[in-house]
Amino acid sequence: MHSNIKMKNSVPIIEVCAATLVTAMAADKSGADRIELCRNIENGGTTPSYDNIAYCVNNLNLKTNVLVRPRAGNFVYSDAEFELIKNDVLFCKNLGVNAVVVGFLHNDFTIDIEKTSEIVTLAKPMEVTFHRAFDVCTDWKIALEQIIQCGCTRILTSGQKPTAIEGVETIKDIVKQAENRIIILAGSGITMENYLQLVKDTGVKEVHGTKLVIN
């Protein structure tokens, strides 16, 4: 178990993607700052069980962010699916979760501003992370401004590439355009061996990955 994965002054912030309680507990013991709790990670991740959410919030020392995604596939949700999402957000809010992780698009791969804004309002005072649905948007520059407009706390991105290492140049540009108006969280393919170089190359202050903790 790696016992000291954080830099001095907790920069960058380490967020471990945890699809199981075992990983969540390992992240806690290794000194990670946060987890993004989910399940079905092989399908891109879906909402974890309420029992797992409650366990992490009540028993772990780190912050718990929760992916709220009712199914795999695209990020265009029906009215019924959106009601499920809102119910999950309220459960997380009442439990004291740190943040919910969501993403809403239209069929043309543009940001669904209406749904995103509604969730940001509903979630308060929780933080809201807009996940890698951002990475399939047709124009990330416009999408970034719209997500900021909606009031999200951060964006999880790999720079519109399969991995953040491949997307370094775009992530750097995203950080520059964001101008500290929103947190840019780099994720996908990030490991203990490459995250410090990624931080140096892009200017991100938060990193996300499944391999940022050693089980």
Side-chain angles (χ1 to χ4, degrees):
M1 179 78 65
H2 199 286
S3 60
N4 185 22
I5 64 174
K6 293 189 290 182
M7 290 176 63
K8 187 177 180 180
N9 299 324
S10 299
V11 177
I13 289 174
I14 303 292
E15 178 179 282
V16 174
C17 182
T20 67
L21 285 182
V22 170
T23 301
M25 290 185 287
D28 192 32
K29 290 179 181 178
S30 69
D33 298 278
R34 242 181 10 234
I35 54 169
E36 182 201 290
L37 189 64
C38 63
R39 61 178 161 188
N40 298 322
I41 198 168
E42 65 279 1
N43 293 317
T46 56
T47 309
S49 72
Y50 282 6
D51 285 345
N52 281 7
I53 297 170
Y55 181 89
C56 291
V57 171
N58 293 326
N59 294 281
L60 302 185
N61 295 312
L62 45 59
K63 293 180 179 179
T64 298
N65 290 5
V66 175
L67 176 64
V68 179
R69 186 181 179 213
R71 57 162 172 78
N74 65 27
F75 308 105
V76 181
Y77 298 105
S78 67
D79 291 342
E81 288 172 330
F82 192 56
E83 288 302 313
L84 293 176
I85 290 169
K86 288 193 288 185
N87 288 339
D88 288 343
V89 169
L90 285 174
F91 173 83
C92 291
K93 179 177 178 176
N94 292 333
L95 193 62
V97 164
N98 179 66
V100 288
V101 182
V102 297
F104 304 102
L105 302 181
H106 294 298
N107 284 315
D108 62 355
F109 300 100
T110 59
I111 301 297
D112 188 328
I113 294 173
E114 183 178 351
K115 282 187 171 65
T116 305
S117 298
E118 185 173 346
I119 291 301
V120 168
T121 299
L122 183 67
K124 289 179 180 178
M126 287 191 298
E127 298 177 355
V128 176
T129 297
F130 197 98
H131 59 49
R132 288 183 63 210
F134 173 79
D135 285 330
V136 299
C137 287
T138 50
D139 189 324
W140 70 257
K141 294 180 180 180
I142 293 174
L144 172 61
E145 296 303 324
Q146 291 174 330
I147 294 169
I148 291 171
Q149 172 191 333
C150 291
C152 291
T153 310
R154 70 178 53 80
I155 297 173
L156 171 62
T157 180
S158 60
Q160 299 205 313
K161 298 292 185 181
T163 69
I165 304 305
E166 296 170 271
V168 162
E169 290 304 316
T170 299
I171 295 171
K172 183 178 179 179
D173 290 340
I174 293 168
V175 170
K176 184 177 180 180
Q177 182 175 319
E179 294 182 321
N180 294 317
R181 293 174 295 158
I182 192 169
I183 298 165
I184 305 304
L185 171 64
S188 184
I190 297 179
T191 67
M192 294 298 301
E193 290 72 36
N194 64 27
Y195 82 96
L196 290 177
Q197 187 63 48
L198 182 82
V199 169
K200 180 180 179 181
D201 291 343
T202 63
V204 297
K205 296 180 180 179
E206 300 190 358
V207 293
H208 163 105
T210 57
K211 296 180 180 179
L212 287 168
V213 61
I214 300 173
N215 292 317

